[in-house]
Amino acid sequence: MVSQPKTPPPQGDVDVSSGLLATTIVVTVLCVLLVAARFATRIWLVKRVGWDDWTILFACLGHPIGMSLVIVQIHYGFGRPAYYLTPHDFQEFMKYAYGEWLQTFATLTFTKISICLFLLRITITKAFIRPLQAAVAILIISNIVISLVWILQCTPHLDKAWNNKMPGKCFSKGQLERIIISQALISIISDFFLSAFPILILRKVQISFRSKVGLCALMGLGVITGSLSIVRTILNWQNVTNDPTWISIPNWYWRSWEVFFGIAAACIPTLRPAYKWLVGEVTRIYSGSASKRTKPSDNPGSKWSAPKPSAQVPSSEYGSRGKKFSDTSTDWTTITHEEDVLPLQNFEPAVRAKAAAEEFPREKRGEGKGAYPTDGQGRERRIGLHIPGDLSTNRPGHFKRLDSEARVGGGHGAEEVEDRI
């Protein structure tokens, strides 16, 4: 139990509660907006809500609770030196500060669990799944233990933690400080661990280096949370001082922004589908307005005509891919795509393969039964779009798919990773 100071502070009776009130309102509003945008993206665009979304919702609910506790603390003197408070106000402040720490522990834990579950969503390898599952278990167990120790800091009467008149025994200042430091260390380790984990997941994904850096940056925002937690830990002594309503203010600021950036790190990567949808809508609207401004009637002498193929090839001698075939030709090493010959066509891969197979049956291509033409190196050249790379999810409930950004050598592509976000 912290006792109220008996000597006046050198700065006098100063009140900075307005900054505390503004900060807690701004942080709460931003967290609510981020989580609301995340759920809107999940429900209307992705059409899939997972456990990582529900856990971040629980973390977000901690912000209105924390804001309410801070407002009550401000009413009882938070932001002023404790020397100028009445004994009743000081006692009430200590009671609500006791509850605010429990809210902080729970909010941080739910946030980190949500990030773990999010990473499990895009992870398929047991080597990555097991550490994330262990991290979830450690976070849950450690939060339960630390919360119970904090609640039971005074015995046999719990309210002695804020009421010095109650009989019993409480932890010393050093013991209370070690409780908060233990929670901070777990928070720091988990923040940097979860920030580095996307690098391990994405290093074998067959996408461009720029895309990897962008995804890792979005998923690695927990570095900011870990850095804020380090500063908060360094200033931990401010929480167990004899003047907690005044000296602990800097620590409270760092703690508040740590909780906010934790939720931001959990939500911002999930907003990528919404960003892509918004860019597409803006592009579509802009393209539509630009086409309306450019009308054929603006130039009466002009007459629209369809674009001509890039190569004039008789359909009787040339295939849909622009290479002349004969009964004995099987060298398909140089093939011009449909887009080069028929720029107005945009066939799906299955349609391309079907159309090409109907136009050039195996007998016409000089192939045997069950055989495909080969290039100069003996590799089969099949008509249609075939992209190498093992892009199956290897998880129950997921469909195998191809990816336009796949590279030779296997691995998952950007589209599959984004589908899991």
Side-chain angles (χ1 to χ4, degrees):
M1 171 65 187
V2 177
S3 301
Q4 191 171 358
K6 304 298 182 181
T7 57
Q11 71 274 7
D13 189 4
V14 183
D15 188 355
V16 295
S17 59
S18 59
L20 300 173
L21 180 61
T23 300
T24 188
I25 293 175
V26 169
V27 167
T28 302
V29 171
L30 290 177
C31 287
V32 171
L33 291 177
L34 282 173
V35 175
R38 173 175 181 155
F39 268 84
T41 302
R42 292 294 197 188
I43 294 173
W44 284 291
L45 295 180
V46 181
K47 302 185 184 303
R48 182 177 64 244
V49 179
W51 280 108
D52 56 328
D53 304 308
W54 295 117
T55 49
I56 202 62
L57 178 62
F58 294 148
C60 181
L61 292 177
H63 270 278
I65 297 174
M67 182 181 69
S68 302
L69 293 172
V70 170
I71 291 175
V72 175
Q73 292 178 69
I74 291 174
H75 174 72
Y76 286 114
F78 189 29
R80 294 176 57 202
Y83 174 81
Y84 299 99
L85 306 181
T86 64
H88 175 265
D89 288 348
F90 184 77
Q91 177 180 313
E92 291 298 307
F93 165 80
M94 293 299 298
K95 178 170 65 176
Y96 289 102
Y98 173 90
E100 190 203 355
W101 271 109
L102 291 175
Q103 172 267 325
T104 301
F105 295 159
T107 301
L108 289 173
T109 300
F110 276 117
T111 301
K112 298 178 196 317
I113 291 175
S114 175
I115 296 175
C116 289
L117 296 178
F118 170 76
L119 293 174
L120 282 171
R121 181 195 292 270
I122 65 174
T123 304
I124 65 169
T125 308
K126 287 185 178 180
F128 294 152
I129 293 176
R130 294 291 182 260
L132 289 172
Q133 292 174 337
V136 172
I138 292 173
L139 287 169
I140 294 174
I141 295 173
S142 62
N143 179 69
I144 293 174
V145 172
I146 291 175
S147 297
L148 288 175
V149 172
W150 182 262
I151 293 172
L152 302 174
Q153 60 181 271
C154 292
T155 55
H157 299 281
L158 300 181
D159 54 351
K160 185 175 175 58
W162 58 85
N163 187 357
N164 206 21
K165 296 180 181 179
M166 298 297 296
K169 183 179 180 181
C170 295
F171 290 162
S172 65
K173 292 181 181 179
Q175 290 173 321
L176 292 176
E177 190 173 352
R178 283 191 285 273
I179 294 174
I180 300 175
I181 290 177
S182 299
Q183 187 277 332
L185 289 177
I186 295 174
S187 181
I188 293 170
I189 294 173
S190 59
D191 283 333
F192 285 101
F193 168 77
L194 296 176
S195 298
F197 215 82
I199 300 176
L200 300 177
I201 296 176
L202 297 175
R203 65 188 180 91
K204 289 187 177 181
V205 174
Q206 305 301 325
I207 57 178
S208 64
F209 178 76
R210 180 180 178 182
S211 299
K212 285 185 179 181
V213 172
L215 289 172
C216 289
L218 289 177
M219 299 180 187
L221 293 175
V223 173
I224 301 176
T225 308
S227 302
L228 294 174
S229 184
I230 292 176
V231 177
R232 190 249 296 182
T233 305
I234 295 174
L235 301 176
N236 187 64
W237 61 271
Q238 298 175 346
N239 297 303
V240 292
T241 179
N242 287 333
D243 194 356
T245 59
W246 177 258
I247 296 181
S248 65
I249 290 176
N251 187 282
W252 180 87
Y253 276 114
W254 289 106
R255 187 169 74 245
S256 298
W257 289 110
E258 173 192 353
V259 175
F260 163 72
F261 276 105
I263 291 183
C267 290
I268 290 178
T270 64
L271 301 181
R272 183 178 174 87
Y275 169 78
K276 295 177 65 177
W277 172 83
L278 182 61
V279 171
E281 287 296 306
V282 172
T283 303
R284 181 181 63 81
I285 294 173
Y286 177 78
S287 300
S289 61
S291 62
K292 290 180 180 179
R293 291 194 300 266
T294 307
K295 299 180 180 179
S297 58
D298 295 340
N299 187 3
S302 63
K303 183 178 180 181
W304 182 88
S305 60
K308 297 180 180 180
S310 57
Q312 299 293 337
V313 286
S315 58
S316 60
E317 298 182 9
Y318 289 82
S320 62
R321 288 183 177 260
K323 175 67 180 178
K324 184 175 181 180
F325 297 102
S326 63
D327 295 337
T328 58
S329 174
T330 58
D331 184 8
W332 291 11
T333 55
T334 57
I335 298 178
T336 305
H337 294 282
E338 293 94 336
E339 293 80 7
D340 295 330
V341 180
L342 299 175
L344 297 181
Q345 301 297 326
N346 185 18
F347 297 115
E348 293 294 330
V351 178
R352 295 180 179 181
K354 182 179 179 181
E358 292 176 353
E359 185 175 358
F360 298 99
R362 293 176 181 272
E363 293 77 8
K364 186 174 181 179
R365 297 198 301 264
E367 302 175 40
K369 294 183 179 180
Y372 284 93
T374 58
D375 57 17
Q377 300 179 2
R379 295 176 298 189
E380 290 184 347
R381 303 288 295 185
R382 304 187 182 190
I383 294 180
L385 182 61
H386 294 272
I387 302 175
D390 181 12
L391 301 176
S392 61
T393 62
N394 297 323
R395 293 180 68 182
H398 290 271
F399 294 99
K400 293 183 178 181
R401 55 170 290 140
L402 292 177
D403 183 355
S404 62
E405 295 194 50
R407 302 284 197 275
V408 177
H412 298 276
E415 290 181 6
E416 183 173 354
V417 173
E418 290 175 359
D419 285 348
R420 293 167 177 263
I421 291 179

